[in-house]
Amino acid sequence: MNRVELQELAEKVGARQQKLRCRLLCCGSTPCLSSGGGKVQEVLTETLLEKGLKAEVSVVNTGCMGPCSRGPLVTVQRLGAAEVTYQNVTPELAKEIVEKHVAAETPAVLPEHVLPGDHPFFAKQQKVVLSNSGQIDPELLEDYVVRGGYMALGNALRDMTPEEVCQEITRSGLRGRGGAGYPTGLKWDLVRKAHGDAKYVVANGDEGDPGAYMDRTLMESDPHRILEGMAIAGYAVGASQGYVYVRGEYPIAAQRLEKAIRTAERRGLLGSRVMDSNFSFRIDIRIGAGAFVCGEETALIASIMGKRGQPEPRPPYPSESGLWGKPTLLNNVETYGNIAPIIANGAEWYSGIGTEKSKGTKIFALAGALETTGLIEVPMGITLREIVYDIAGGIPDGRDFKAAQTGGPSGGCIPASHLDIPVDYESLKALGSMMGSGGLIVLDDTNCMPDVVKYFLEFCMDESCGKCIPCRVGTVEMHNILKRITNGSATEKDLATLEELCTMVRDTSLCGLGQGAPSPIVSTLRFFRDEYEAHIKEHRCPAGVCEMTEVPVLELTEELYRRAGEIETAQEVN
């Protein structure tokens, strides 16, 4: 398929959709499916058959619509009318929607179940990467093409040299969305200039942060967007083979990507002579086994090659020596999701979004103590307050905001005094946190910060690959001290030792997992030190979460006498 045929296909599909009386968009992402979305789709289809409307109305299994805590979600698109989105749809409500809103001669909206289109959750977002999410069937190439899909690849192949593609990405200001924020165009140019008889392009879809599901959702909702971005990258750096590394716990994402790859190959959009050009590019999928450390680039590369997923010292960097010793371009899947819009709309358009140093948009997975949780895409520079209170609706039950945890287990906690911070790479780093891949967990005043940090340290301890001693032993020791702090047996010396360990583990670990493991401790000691001291000096948990049933070792004798006295007193009373 060439550019002309691609355009003809888009027009043909567009004309076919215009003839439909109505489209029922039903969210088919993991959160909605896990809350009954599959049954809702069945009922919609069965009811349309009963009403004889199958030819006039289509049910579209879409990707994520955003407000996951309000799912299953169904959007009704009627010709000449505004879209209506229903929330918390049950099979019974699905039948009622068809009967009253779709099949009736005078359509009637069911207002008590509607999620308003001008709800702040939608109004303050700016969708670039997620522009197709919730609007198309991710398993249909035609749905992607009708919204301009693969035209950016066609334009790049026809009108731009590989060097010009790299320059366009550099001028856009795009930075890697996997966490480090490295300039994407600079990385692409390094691989382009590297010498090698073969080069590779890799998409990192091994998302492992607790509470994060941005990458999974993107792969489930718009797989062709990622493939198109990878193909453009392959053309820019001179690679003919790509790999998508998908986390093993994401079966729907892997299945939809696999189907998208096969469909694109049949249409000549991937494989040999892409779009009738001299450029050939194949993509294969590799499934991870769920190890968090495989999100680190050298461990991921080892895993793709069939080796144990453990990090390697750098340099050399993958841009010089990656897969099988060849120059390798490795980006996060969200980074590739930005590529087609940049090529299609231009670097100036993209660099006009965001802040001076953090361009474009960022996808976040909102979780924790929020009225509405789910997936959002916002311009860089939006304040944390806007995300928490405007988009997500604030804290439930009138509780107070306590902190926002960003960056996953390697990130930090931002207190209420910094709610007006702009969310971008530099501002988060200045507060001891980080952007990370986009997990954002909000904590209310019922959370104990040392207890929260203990959870993240336990995660890092369990996920350490064990290759380097600082990470393997240091995370265990830090976790042991946190256990003592939260059970009442810690001393002030433990706190001093904890701070020393943070510095040692951060400075001497081999990879980002160990280097980032102390970050939640350092961050909470900076903003919530009084809570640590209350546990140690006053033997109490300010949030009332920790049971505090133990005492320091040197106080054991005194404590035994005290408890024995309590028992004797109780016996005398009885």
Side-chain angles (χ1 to χ4, degrees):
M1 178 180 289
N2 54 37
R3 291 176 70 257
V4 175
E5 292 166 332
L6 192 70
Q7 185 62 42
E8 290 174 351
L9 176 63
E11 291 171 358
K12 182 180 175 184
V13 175
R16 192 166 64 214
Q17 290 183 354
Q18 287 295 317
K19 291 178 181 175
L20 288 171
R21 172 179 165 187
C22 181
R23 296 176 81 217
L24 298 177
L25 309 180
C26 192
C27 181
S29 67
T30 295
C32 277
L33 290 176
S34 63
S35 56
K39 184 62 181 174
V40 167
Q41 288 190 43
E42 285 180 24
V43 172
L44 288 172
T45 304
E46 290 169 2
T47 310
L48 288 173
L49 276 172
E50 289 171 11
K51 300 289 181 185
L53 295 172
K54 192 72 176 68
E56 303 172 47
V57 181
S58 68
V59 177
V60 182
N61 178 40
T62 72
C64 181
M65 294 183 181
C68 304
S69 60
R70 295 172 182 252
L73 296 157
V74 173
T75 296
V76 179
Q77 285 184 336
R78 292 182 62 93
L79 271 180
E83 283 189 3
V84 177
T85 298
Y86 291 97
Q87 57 184 329
N88 301 316
V89 179
T90 61
E92 294 75 22
L93 177 58
K95 189 176 180 68
E96 194 177 354
I97 291 170
V98 173
E99 290 174 344
K100 295 182 178 177
H101 193 165
V102 178
E105 287 188 14
T106 306
V109 176
L110 310 173
E112 65 273 27
H113 303 288
V114 169
L115 184 60
D118 59 353
H119 191 283
F121 186 90
F122 302 110
K124 288 219 166 185
Q125 293 193 52
Q126 183 171 0
K127 294 193 174 183
V128 174
V129 179
L130 296 179
S131 60
N132 291 337
S133 187
Q135 296 290 321
I136 66 169
D137 184 340
E139 298 192 20
L140 285 181
L141 171 68
E142 291 79 4
D143 270 22
Y144 183 64
V145 170
V146 80
R147 294 176 67 89
Y150 287 105
M151 286 304 291
L153 174 61
N155 292 340
L157 293 176
R158 190 192 66 170
D159 302 329
M160 303 172 77
T161 65
E163 185 177 5
E164 288 172 340
V165 174
C166 290
Q167 289 172 349
E168 192 73 357
I169 300 302
T170 300
R171 289 195 300 112
S172 74
L174 176 65
R175 296 167 66 174
R177 298 299 194 241
Y182 192 81
T184 303
L186 181 58
K187 183 186 278 190
W188 285 31
D189 215 34
L190 286 172
V191 180
R192 183 183 69 82
K193 293 174 179 174
H195 297 290
D197 55 358
K199 296 180 182 178
Y200 298 98
V201 168
V202 177
N204 185 351
D206 190 61
E207 176 180 59
D209 292 0
Y213 56 97
M214 304 75 56
D215 296 346
R216 182 191 72 198
T217 301
L218 181 56
M219 291 186 285
E220 288 180 354
S221 303
D222 203 0
H224 283 287
R225 177 186 291 268
I226 299 168
L227 303 182
E228 185 178 9
M230 291 179 68
I232 293 171
Y235 171 69
V237 304
S240 58
Q241 175 68 52
Y243 293 96
V244 187
Y245 191 85
V246 184
R247 194 168 183 79
E249 294 92 333
Y250 293 173
I252 297 176
Q255 172 199 331
R256 290 178 181 173
L257 276 166
E258 182 70 37
K259 188 170 184 178
I261 291 169
R262 301 305 156 224
T263 307
E265 285 179 341
R266 282 198 297 274
R267 293 281 192 160
L269 299 168
L270 289 176
S272 301
R273 294 181 54 78
V274 173
M275 301 182 78
D276 290 348
S277 71
N278 292 324
F279 170 63
S280 298
F281 191 70
R282 290 186 55 82
I283 298 178
D284 291 304
I285 295 176
R286 291 291 181 269
I287 307 295
F292 179 69
V293 73
C294 284
E296 196 277 340
E297 59 183 12
T298 59
L300 185 150
I301 285 171
S303 180
I304 289 178
M305 294 190 295
K307 301 178 181 177
R308 183 175 180 179
Q310 286 189 318
E312 295 290 336
R314 297 172 298 177
Y317 291 93
S319 57
E320 306 167 60
S321 177
L323 279 171
W324 296 284
K326 308 296 182 185
T328 300
L329 176 67
L330 198 154
N331 282 130
N332 172 268
V333 293
E334 185 184 338
T335 308
Y336 289 116
N338 280 280
I339 300 304
I342 291 173
I343 298 299
N345 300 302
E348 287 74 17
W349 165 80
Y350 189 82
S351 62
I353 305 170
T355 65
E356 183 182 353
K357 294 183 178 178
S358 298
K359 305 296 187 186
T361 59
K362 180 74 189 80
I363 303 174
F364 288 99
L366 302 182
L370 292 167
E371 283 289 350
T372 303
T373 57
L375 207 73
I376 62 168
E377 183 177 5
V378 290
M380 293 280 195
I382 190 171
T383 66
L384 182 59
R385 185 185 297 278
E386 289 176 283
I387 293 177
V388 172
Y389 286 96
D390 295 344
I391 294 177
I395 315 297
D397 305 322
R399 308 295 313 189
D400 290 331
F401 172 91
K402 187 168 190 176
Q405 205 280 342
T406 66
S410 302
C413 294
I414 302 169
S417 56
H418 291 280
L419 260 172
D420 292 311
I421 181 181
V423 178
D424 58 39
Y425 290 101
E426 285 70 29
S427 301
L428 293 179
K429 187 177 179 182
L431 288 180
S433 190
M434 63 186 293
M435 184 77 74
S437 57
L440 200 161
I441 302 173
V442 172
L443 309 171
D444 65 18
D445 55 1
T446 63
N447 291 103
C448 166
M449 299 312 290
D451 187 60
V452 170
V453 171
K454 184 179 69 174
Y455 165 77
F456 282 111
L457 253 294
E458 184 176 11
F459 178 86
C460 292
M461 180 181 70
D462 289 342
E463 292 292 340
S464 173
C465 74
K467 184 170 183 176
C468 73
I469 294 174
C471 178
R472 185 179 70 230
V473 180
T475 53
V476 173
E477 289 302 313
M478 290 192 293
H479 184 252
N480 286 340
I481 293 175
L482 287 166
K483 279 202 297 187
R484 292 202 290 277
I485 290 174
T486 53
N487 69 18
S489 63
T491 64
E492 292 185 50
K493 187 172 186 306
D494 281 321
L495 191 57
T497 304
L498 182 64
E499 291 184 279
E500 288 176 17
L501 280 170
C502 285
T503 304
M504 185 276 291
V505 173
R506 183 194 62 202
D507 293 345
T508 58
S509 292
L510 178 59
C511 79
L513 191 153
Q515 293 162 5
S519 296
I521 302 174
V522 174
S523 169
T524 50
L525 279 173
R526 177 179 175 185
F527 296 116
F528 300 95
R529 192 179 189 90
D530 56 328
E531 288 201 27
Y532 286 86
E533 292 178 344
H535 283 72
I536 295 170
K537 296 179 180 177
E538 302 170 24
H539 208 67
R540 69 178 181 88
C541 173
V545 173
C546 305
E547 293 186 353
M548 310 294 287
T549 55
E550 305 295 327
V551 296
V553 173
L554 294 179
E555 299 174 17
L556 271 177
T557 305
E558 182 182 338
E559 179 66 10
L560 284 173
Y561 279 121
R562 189 187 67 77
R563 292 186 184 182
E566 286 181 355
I567 293 172
E568 286 177 4
T569 303
Q571 288 172 341
E572 289 172 3
V573 170
N574 292 331

